[in-house]
């Protein structure tokens, strides 16, 4: 049986391509549409408004509307929210509302309540008069979960279409290595300074190539200058950074030769063993074992880091969360106050961070591999930018912009 | 202070490039060498023999010799093994012997004892008269661990240099997409049949692109025909496979459109929720919820799979190990009897599997991304082969070779 | 000074993203717009209609309108065509109309005359009552060239938005290696059979990887079965194909080893020398020197090929055009009757062919390198599709579809 | 029938992997070997010496020995040179000696004559008592050409194996993006200064990404500071550079948006038309039309450039050689005095230049695409180094090293 729902959206529907994506999604779900009303924004500053009747098979319609909310589309009739208790730990009701990472409101007792900590692919948990996102692994039997799309509104992120030459310029254009890179670096430096000036934190997510490309000194300078407030990474970045600090001087060859292969040497497993003996990275800094590198700088600066393990880890370091769900929990706990996120040279941890970030936090993903950048930029958030470039030179150049007296050793 | 050790190696040192790698490594560790004796293999069937005096700084020499053993080099004087108890849980003695993935022997009480389950980057645990590898995370205070390189011998893997046209041909040549692919597929099919005929198991390691490239039907045919004995994967392969099985029919678009993006839809999180409600993948097969796809085929065929989670997982499925150390343990438990390993379209799980596989098990890594294949082929094991190709067509073609009546639906 | 022009477009403006591209281009040229009228296509079969007032600086407006015609936008007031003689060989008037590759009409004497052989980045030459495209290198002093955009109309290509599951499905979706490849191959095979059934020719453009990936036997089967009517390539494809035919048997190693490096051996330069002595590829077939491979099959089948040289060529073969302008001319001469173009594993010749093809000829570009495919698919023609896959397996699989009794040797 | 020849080689055979390559090649040609004598270099400064009896089928032996000379292997018995006139224009005798790019000597009248302008894949032309390389396309009937390998010696390039930390470090290690890039840039800057100090010329080979990545200002600074003595490129680099100079200011968007697509706009074809009207790039500089960019800087600095066309060119610019053989000739004419070659962001022109460069000229190839760099580094010349990095940031950083007061505009 085919059912219909009338939905609406307001915004820069044409020049952003939003309307195209909406119509695409409707067809993807086997649905159909009639555009009932379309008030076009006459000039490029004006918003457009569309009212669309969406038709789909009974059991798909609610899911399709749920999906469309990811583009900022909402039902014309807000309806009444439906809340049902879940009947088992770690399981949502079948028709749970699946969240986007956008600003979301739930109609409770005639009022629109703002959802706390927006995160995609979660459920909505209602406790008293408050609503927050909850991952499926955290839900307990009896938790009151929003079901269906009735009584839920999503506020579209409206990227300000400013073509006058500022930071927006490269946001919406396609990811490519053929870009004026020096300009992009400068724009990111500007944005970082702005975020810091406004009291926001800068979150870094990094892979081991930060060390392999010789960018650790640049990264240390950024930590010392206060541009790294939180660091998310895996066992590899920390291990290779510590390995370089512990063995780099005596051997002096690894980094000048640039051999960043995971199993090139036994250094990494000995480095891990030494830190395990110390008990933690901080303890190794304290007892004088670890005297340089990015992790040392983070400890010295008193800045938090969250290292989450993966199945390919050796060791791991004692600071690494070996349970990934606990790791995600620890990452979420550090998001408060973050005003900008930059992800360099790691697919795994970048996607992981993207998963839990609200769409309101601007993020940049930098990698030499176009596929990584595309995957991240395609997360469906208007705020993601991708830069295809060399991590070593990128960090070098960014540090030159932010820490004027920095010189590569 | 500079110390010296005389080491020796026998094998195809020249045409395999082994000697070049040995001399390279010596220089990498800041060491030096004198080739005391070199008996060259006159013709291409003859082995060569080299005796080399290696010199390095005091604290590096033992580690360097440890490193060289990865190429099959051993001290001329086997010496006496040194065994010391470790003093804390999860920590090796500082000078622990760091294992390779090669056949290794330890001299105990005048006898050479074969090390059980060779695995790289582990320690050697001595219990009574037996020696086995143990990862650092599993070691307990008081465990007796081999230290230094004295009394340890490694047996080099000697790839048989058969140029007559068989499977060896592409092993040693460089990884490239410009290869006669149809021929490679046929060689792999031949090798799989041989392994099965000899009673060996075939281990598959796969990423979600198996599903995204439309190769699930081919993979199902391979499971049903008995060519998939064990499957290692993450949450993503299983989720997307189950998502296609649960939602593919009703919507019918995802796979024909080829949209494999992680967060393209809410399907995956609903699929996960349904399986969480069922309790496990097997339970979902049992209760009739899951009726198709790769995971269904594995359950029906009674074949084991190990799914290990990662920090970017949604859900995850109830079968997924969220603790990566437990996951590694579960993977190790399934290695017994494996005679061939094939890794398709996953960097993370391929490296993880490579980490725990002994060098004696031949492995093939297939990916469209040259960097992934290179990383895996560079693991330093003579047995690794890399193929840069399309996963969808590769699995299609391989299935046509192994299951003659297979037809793509 | 700012000037304005009212333009209009009719078609699937929303779900194809066309309108987004139009508005983007206006801002790129520093222009501005007011959407005066927008009649939205209510449901997905209906076309939309937009009337837009475009404003730009004096000297940019005409160029901007010229640019917009590439999307099928035309001035509401067709105006009178302006034709001026060019004053020098090889040079257009400054304000020449720069062509798209779409169907174009010029208003001559009150009638709309259809432009012969549409090709992008050319001028429009008027001779008597006929209009045809002419490249800048071919123009002669005194030639009558269309200037400005007045009196020129372009007919947008309207891709039929058929979501029922046919060939269109993958046209508009993004280029990616994560696609159901077996399905794509089947769709291309279907389209080839259709084109042949309708009397159209199939144009192939190929790079040397056709030979390196072991796909020459598959390609030969396609030639023999009549699916290769014209072949465009460079010196490399023909040389490596002939080299394999001349030296492959006696040495037997190159292809089974898959060493496709340009300068791996002296074979290629000796192969070239032998064909130069024969005088041409056809002469070498005639005199019994060349008895196998793709070029041999083309000669035997009596099918034309155009080989155009590049600066990195050795030799080259006697059939190769060393002058690229002459080469382009020879390629244009073979386009008549072509109903489908397929480009495999060559960036250079694919772009070259894309440059001269009218938008009405569907084209597919196949390469393992995503960047190549993206570059080609981005040509701005609605008819281009990109497939990221392995050439060897792709040609193998395509041949299995088209030549049922084909078996890889 | 099997024939044998005794060959010898002296040098760093083990740590460079040369011997491995030699034995590989022998088996590739279906040949066999006996190592008759092997005097191993005891320590890492000592050269080794090998004497090898090579056996192969009659018609392959001479070609195999010809091939081996590319590694610096020579017959023990130099023999007498065989010189035969060629019987037709543009054709060598069948058994012509196919050159390497190494220092080569020919035994004429009892004396070893040095071959002028070494270049690979050519023939050796004897005129009076002089010998020089000649490409097959340039040979005339009656020219006296060296045949077979008798009387020809090749001097191996012996890369000095200096591990103390200088420029050599990264030469022999594998191409990868995971390298300490800032260090590599500094090493290249050092080498450029050295070459200039020694009176050598620096040859640049560039693709259009130099412009697209916003690196034109850096490149202009390098030209003005005297670090660009010769430039080889195609139509694209010059066109996009001139397009940016002519249209960049008025529109101001292209480069800040980073849209480098070939057919993004009609700018390029109008830019070409303007220069065609002027007659040449130099004339356009002279008449004040062209006032900025890389090509303008080259003209102002009085430095030569060679632009060679390709089949995908629009226009082309009047300075472009449309005949590729004439283009190669023009490139060869500019090689004299070149002491260092750097190739950035172009596969086509880099390979073309590599083809004609003697092995004695060090070369660096820089590209963001690993495949391009590998292809070039694999040319078989000991002097090639590859760097996988971002062109924009690389040129920015290199300019900061070489032109201290440079600032990105």
């Amino acid at each position: 049986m085919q059912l219909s729902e009338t939905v609406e959206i307001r915004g820069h529907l044409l020049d952003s391509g939003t309307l195209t994506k909406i119509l695409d999604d409707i067809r993807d779900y086997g649905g159909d549409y009639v555009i009932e009303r379309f008030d076009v924004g006459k000039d490029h500053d004006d918003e457009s408004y569309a009212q669309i009747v969406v038709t789909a098979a009974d059991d798909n319609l609610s899911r399709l509307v749920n999906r469309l909310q990811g583009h900022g589309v909402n039902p014309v009739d807000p309806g009444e929210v439906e809340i049902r208790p879940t009947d088992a730990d770690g399981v949502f009701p079948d028709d749970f509302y699946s969240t986007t990472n956008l600003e979301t409101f739930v109609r409770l007792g005639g009022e629109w309540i703002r959802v706390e900590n927006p995160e995609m692919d979660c459920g909505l948990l209602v406790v008293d008069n408050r609503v927050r996102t909850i991952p499926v692994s955290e839900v307990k039997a009896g938790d009151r979960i929003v079901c269906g799309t009735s009584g839920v509104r999503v506020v579209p992120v409206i990227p300000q279409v400013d073509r006058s030459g500022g930071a927006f310029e490269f946001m919406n254009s396609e990811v490519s290595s053929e870009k004026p890179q020096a300009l992009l670096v400068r724009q990111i430096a500007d944005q970082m300074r702005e975020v810091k000036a406004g009291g926001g934190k800068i979150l870094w997510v990094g892979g081991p190539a930060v060390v392999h490309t010789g960018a650790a000194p640049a990264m240390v300078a950024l930590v010392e200058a206060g541009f790294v407030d939180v660091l998310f990474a895996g066992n590899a970045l920390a291990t290779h950074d510590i390995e370089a600090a512990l063995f780099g001087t005596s051997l002096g060859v690894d980094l000048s030769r640039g051999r960043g292969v995971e199993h090139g040497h036994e250094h990494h497993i000995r480095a891990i063993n030494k830190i395990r003996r110390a008990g933690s990275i901080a303890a190794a800094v304290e007892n004088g074992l670890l005297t340089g590198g990015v992790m040392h700088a983070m400890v010295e600066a008193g800045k938090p880091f969250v290292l989450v393990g993966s199945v390919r880890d050796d060791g791991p370091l004692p600071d690494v969360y070996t349970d990934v769900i606990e790791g995600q929990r620890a990452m979420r706990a550090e998001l408060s106050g973050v005003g900008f996120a930059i992800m360099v040279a790691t697919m795994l941890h970048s996607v992981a961070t993207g998963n839990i970030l609200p769409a309101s936090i601007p993020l940049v993903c930098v990698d030499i591999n176009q596929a990584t950048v595309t995957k991240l930029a395609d997360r469906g958030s208007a705020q993601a930018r991708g830069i295809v470039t060399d991590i070593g030179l990128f960090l070098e150049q960014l540090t030159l912009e932010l820490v004027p007296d920095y010189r590569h050793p």
Side-chain angles (χ1 to χ4, degrees), chain A:
Chain A
M1 204 185 70
Q2 298 285 309
L3 293 183
S4 294
E5 169 107 42
T6 303
V7 298
E8 63 182 352
I9 182 169
R10 184 180 305 279
H12 287 280
L13 308 183
L14 296 180
D15 51 11
S16 64
T18 302
L19 196 51
T20 302
K21 283 179 211 144
I22 291 168
L23 302 184
D24 252 32
D25 274 352
I26 294 173
R27 307 313 307 280
D28 271 9
Y29 274 72
D32 213 332
Y33 62 84
V34 174
I35 299 178
E36 283 210 317
R37 191 174 138 197
F38 190 76
D39 302 339
V40 75
K42 280 206 164 3
D43 85 43
H44 74 274
D45 287 335
D46 297 343
E47 292 185 351
S48 300
Y49 172 85
Q51 188 167 306
I52 305 171
V53 180
V54 177
T55 309
D58 191 2
D59 48 339
N60 281 342
L61 181 62
S62 170
R63 290 177 45 213
L64 169 52
V65 172
N66 192 163
R67 166 78 184 152
L68 294 181
Q69 289 196 317
H71 302 301
V73 169
N74 288 295
V76 169
D77 171 8
E80 290 299 315
V81 73
E82 186 179 348
I83 300 169
R84 282 209 308 277
T86 182
D87 56 355
D89 283 6
V91 184
F92 288 137
D94 262 4
D95 62 339
F96 74 100
Y97 180 87
S98 172
T99 56
T100 68
N101 57 4
L102 304 172
E103 284 275 14
T104 304
F105 294 83
V106 172
R107 193 171 179 82
L108 284 183
E111 252 184 302
W112 287 105
I113 307 295
R114 190 164 173 274
V115 171
E116 297 166 25
N117 58 300
E119 177 180 332
M120 61 169 73
D121 295 320
C122 289
L124 290 174
L125 172 69
V126 182
V127 178
D128 302 329
N129 226 23
R130 298 174 61 176
V131 188
R132 63 176 180 86
T133 57
I134 184 167
V136 68
S137 55
E138 308 279 1
V139 79
K140 299 291 174 211
D143 278 356
R144 299 173 64 229
I145 300 295
V146 173
C147 295
T149 55
S150 209
V152 183
R153 283 194 83 80
V154 163
V155 177
V157 172
I158 304 177
Q160 74 275 45
V161 183
D162 168 9
R163 304 270 180 157
S164 59
F168 176 74
E169 288 307 330
F170 61 101
M171 283 196 193
N172 266 21
S173 54
E174 312 92 60
V175 166
S176 156
S177 64
E178 299 200 344
K179 293 276 175 173
Q181 309 291 5
L183 198 65
L184 297 189
V185 171
R186 195 168 289 175
Q187 289 174 347
I188 291 173
D190 288 346
Q191 193 163 3
M192 284 188 167
R193 269 188 295 249
E194 244 173 72
V195 166
K196 292 300 294 182
K201 289 185 195 164
I202 297 177
L203 165 65
W204 285 74
V205 185
V210 168
V211 178
H212 300 329
T213 57
M219 187 86 190
V220 167
L222 290 172
V223 172
E224 289 171 356
F227 289 102
V228 183
D229 292 297
V230 192
L231 174 65
F232 291 173
N235 189 52
L237 181 147
T239 296
H240 289 293
D241 174 62
I242 290 170
E243 175 194 331
L246 295 186
F247 296 107
T249 317
S250 61
L251 294 177
V253 286
D254 236 346
L255 271 184
S256 68
R257 292 289 302 276
R259 297 217 170 162
V261 289
E262 222 87 334
H263 292 281
H265 292 287
E266 37 68 76
H267 306 178
H268 71 286
I269 190 72
R270 291 197 194 280
I272 289 168
N273 195 51
K274 280 176 192 294
I275 303 297
R276 287 178 76 98
R277 180 173 305 279
S280 72
I281 296 173
V285 171
E286 184 111 350
N287 75 18
L289 173 67
L290 184 61
T291 59
V294 175
M295 299 314 296
H296 171 265
M298 290 297 288
V299 170
E300 290 288 352
K303 294 298 174 69
F305 50 86
V306 180
L307 307 179
V308 185
S310 82
V311 64
R312 72 174 169 187
D313 286 350
D314 287 309
L317 290 168
D319 304 70
V320 168
Y321 288 90
T322 61
D323 188 282
V324 295
I325 299 298
E326 281 174 32
Q328 290 175 350
R329 215 177 280 139
M331 288 163 67
R332 282 188 188 99
E334 295 293 349
L335 289 189
S336 146
V338 167
F340 185 74
I342 178 163
M343 302 166 170
V344 288
T346 166
M347 171 100 97
L348 181 60
H349 294 273
S350 296
V351 171
T353 306
N355 284 349
I356 62 171
L357 272 187
S360 54
I361 300 179
L363 72 86
V364 169
C365 168
V366 189
D367 204 294
I368 202 166
N369 188 332
Q370 183 168 344
T372 303
V373 175
T374 305
K375 200 155 206 165
L376 286 155
D378 276 357
R379 280 182 56 251
S381 314
Q383 92 275 27
R385 314 174 204 179
I387 301 181
V388 178
T389 192
D390 181 273
I391 294 306
L393 296 187
F394 173 84
L395 287 176
E396 203 67 23
Q397 200 90 357
L398 181 66
T399 308
L400 284 171
E401 292 279 348
L402 288 171
V403 190
D405 57 343
Y406 166 75
R407 284 298 165 270
H408 187 79

